[in-house]
Amino acid sequence: MGGCASKDKKDTVVDGDAAAAATDKAAENGEEAAANTTAEPSATTANGDAINNEGKLNIMVDAAVLAKLEDGFAKLAASDSKSLLKKYLTKEVFDNLKNKKTPTFGSTLLDVIQSGLANHDSGVGIYAPDAEAYTVFADLFDPIIEDYHGGFKKTDKHPAKDFGDVNSFGNLDPNNEFVISTRVRCGRSMEGYPFNPCLSEAQYKEMEEKVSSTLSGLEGELKGKFYPLTGMEKSVQQQLIDDHFLFKEGDRFLQAANACRYWPSGRGIYHNDNKTFLVWCNEEDHLRIISMQMGGDLGEVFRRLTNAVNEIEKRVPFSHDDRLGFLTFCPTNLGTTIRASVHIKLPKLAANLAKLEEVAGKYNLQVRGTRGEHTEAEGGIYDISNKRRMGLTEYQAVKEMYDGITELIKIEKSM
């Protein structure tokens, strides 16, 4: 796999142990960071990498990584993949990026694209192993971000966080005819930590402890309990599965991205007493904050999420970028990171899937199967959510979903 070897100490390195842990990971992956002998080094990092007079690391991409990249690129280019990775990873872009590494963790292009190389049926196909990857590999990330997020260009800047008037959304389906359940979630990365592929086991455990202690301070309707995956009792595990709360190891897209290391260390789930508020710790993102309930009362669901995010943010600093907004492992979740969705039954529209997709597209909505991405609709129930998360506020992202679902219900009633 790719690198994530620790380099010079930056904000993303948590403590003095981080460099050693990341170096161990590089050794695990069979990589050696080689100093570039063309520049005169003026210093070295704790793990011996040379730094030139400009303070930049002189490291070369390992030959084995380059070989994997060349082979993977050739196979992807010859495939019938419809992924955004294939669309934008031209030979020119590939040649420009294949020898680059991120400064702090030494992440390579392979770390970024290995999931898409392994899974040609990916819709997107890339992940950011650390925050710096969005800058170092911008020639690939920027066009994919623009395509996915409805025209968010590399010259655009994501607006400041704004949940707007949380009381402005009502019940999408007061008579409970169409909407089975409503859910709004957002992702957050903890400041000072890289993303999944570059985390050491010690960092996973440290993060879990921070999240658990932080959430234990929540009160009111957010009050609940944290359940670590490590050592979880079978009865608790089964109950969480029955409640559709438990995330499981085995997502091949995440596994290929090297995001499931040390499983189940450092992973856990928190839910409130009413089972309407959830936090996932270290599944795909550091935190997935989720508000949900049966029926179509989007207003209540959104108010609860906003309250939770604001409460957690008081206690835990989140990674944020002035241009990209809140930073996440997958570029589809950048910006607001908001995904507002409903499970909805639209039997007449479902009989004409092209029509359903057409109307959803007008409102920037994404239609998925009942259990989310890469699944089928069970019993005619679809998971429909806002698609754009960048270049608009949290309020506007949820409003796109609200307006689109309102229109879909109106069309279903008229058919």
Side-chain angles (χ1 to χ4, degrees):
M1 292 300 175
C4 295
S6 176
K7 302 303 168 202
D8 53 329
K9 195 168 75 172
K10 289 202 171 188
D11 290 343
T12 43
V13 179
V14 192
D15 52 38
D17 294 328
T23 306
D24 289 344
K25 179 178 181 284
E28 273 175 28
N29 291 337
E31 290 194 16
E32 295 174 2
N36 183 344
T37 54
T38 59
E40 196 65 40
S42 59
T44 59
T45 62
N47 60 321
D49 286 321
I51 303 174
N52 66 18
N53 291 318
E54 295 175 338
K56 294 179 181 176
L57 281 156
N58 296 310
I59 51 175
M60 298 184 334
V61 173
D62 186 83
V65 171
L66 281 173
K68 284 181 184 176
L69 277 169
E70 295 286 359
D71 180 60
F73 176 74
K75 287 176 180 172
L76 180 69
S79 76
D80 60 356
S81 173
K82 303 290 191 294
S83 71
L84 294 181
L85 171 63
K86 184 183 178 186
K87 184 176 178 181
Y88 292 107
L89 188 65
T90 63
K91 186 74 169 77
E92 182 184 5
V93 170
F94 177 77
D95 287 339
N96 183 39
L97 299 181
K98 67 184 181 183
N99 287 300
K100 293 188 175 181
K101 280 191 174 190
T102 60
T104 305
F105 289 94
S107 300
T108 67
L109 181 62
L110 184 61
D111 290 298
V112 172
I113 68 173
Q114 56 195 353
S115 183
L117 295 182
N119 299 287
H120 289 174
D121 57 339
S122 294
V124 179
I126 67 170
Y127 292 96
D130 60 61
E132 293 166 343
Y134 283 116
T135 304
V136 174
F137 302 103
D139 287 351
L140 179 58
F141 275 109
D142 285 348
I144 287 177
I145 286 168
E146 181 176 345
D147 190 313
Y148 186 89
H149 292 281
F152 186 87
K153 299 178 179 60
K154 62 181 178 181
T155 52
D156 290 341
K157 186 176 176 181
H158 185 74
K161 183 181 73 171
D162 182 8
F163 285 104
D165 180 5
V166 295
N167 296 312
S168 61
F169 298 117
N171 194 321
L172 285 160
D173 182 25
N175 296 322
N176 296 317
E177 297 174 68
F178 306 100
V179 178
I180 312 298
S181 61
T182 304
R183 180 177 181 263
V184 184
R185 64 92 165 139
C186 65
R188 289 290 187 270
S189 300
M190 294 168 69
E191 201 173 80
Y193 293 88
F195 303 143
N196 266 326
C198 297
L199 286 169
S200 67
E201 186 170 17
Q203 286 173 316
Y204 269 118
K205 290 176 178 177
E206 183 181 304
M207 291 167 76
E208 182 190 21
E209 176 55 39
K210 283 186 181 180
V211 171
S212 175
S213 60
T214 295
L215 297 176
S216 68
L218 297 179
E219 297 173 346
E221 72 164 338
L222 302 178
K223 185 177 179 293
K225 184 178 177 184
F226 186 84
Y227 301 86
L229 260 62
T230 304
M232 183 180 284
E233 292 178 16
K234 287 291 179 189
S235 58
V236 173
Q237 184 177 0
Q238 190 56 51
Q239 186 59 58
L240 289 168
I241 290 171
D242 293 344
D243 290 333
H244 303 289
F245 286 177
L246 189 63
F247 60 83
K248 290 175 280 189
E249 184 185 18
D251 181 292
R252 61 188 167 94
F253 301 93
L254 290 178
Q255 284 184 325
N258 211 18
C260 300
R261 300 162 70 240
Y262 311 117
W263 196 281
S265 283
R267 278 82 171 184
I269 293 173
Y270 175 94
H271 71 73
N272 67 343
D273 297 338
N274 293 333
K275 297 184 177 178
T276 56
F277 168 62
L278 270 174
V279 179
W280 289 355
C281 176
N282 283 326
E283 181 247 3
E284 177 176 321
D285 288 310
H286 296 167
L287 292 174
R288 278 284 172 89
I289 304 167
I290 305 161
S291 174
M292 61 187 191
Q293 66 190 49
M294 302 304 290
D297 196 339
L298 177 61
E300 191 170 324
V301 171
F302 188 51
R303 279 193 298 276
R304 186 186 304 115
L305 180 88
T306 303
N307 181 28
V309 171
N310 290 335
E311 284 298 316
I312 296 170
E313 201 166 30
K314 289 175 190 172
R315 300 163 168 87
V316 178
F318 295 137
S319 294
H320 187 274
D321 180 82
D322 286 344
R323 187 176 86 82
L324 299 175
F326 288 102
L327 296 176
T328 53
F329 182 46
C330 181
T332 65
N333 290 321
L334 289 166
T336 63
T337 78
I338 289 277
R339 183 172 185 269
S341 64
V342 292
H343 274 180
I344 187 168
K345 244 183 184 175
L346 299 166
K348 293 172 184 172
L349 268 172
N352 184 354
L353 197 53
K355 173 77 171 172
L356 175 59
E357 295 272 11
E358 180 194 338
V359 177
K362 284 180 186 173
Y363 289 89
N364 296 307
L365 299 186
Q366 185 173 34
V367 180
R368 297 178 173 184
T370 310
R371 297 183 184 274
E373 205 168 10
H374 313 297
T375 68
E376 298 296 319
E378 298 170 8
I381 298 171
Y382 289 90
D383 177 318
I384 303 181
S385 63
N386 64 299
K387 185 178 180 186
R388 293 198 306 154
R389 314 198 211 292
M390 298 188 76
L392 72 176
T393 66
E394 286 78 359
Y395 173 81
Q396 290 168 334
V398 175
K399 191 170 190 315
E400 284 198 334
M401 187 276 258
Y402 182 84
D403 292 345
I405 296 299
T406 300
E407 182 64 18
L408 285 169
I409 289 175
K410 184 177 164 187
I411 292 170
E412 179 74 14
K413 283 180 174 178
S414 70
M415 289 176 78

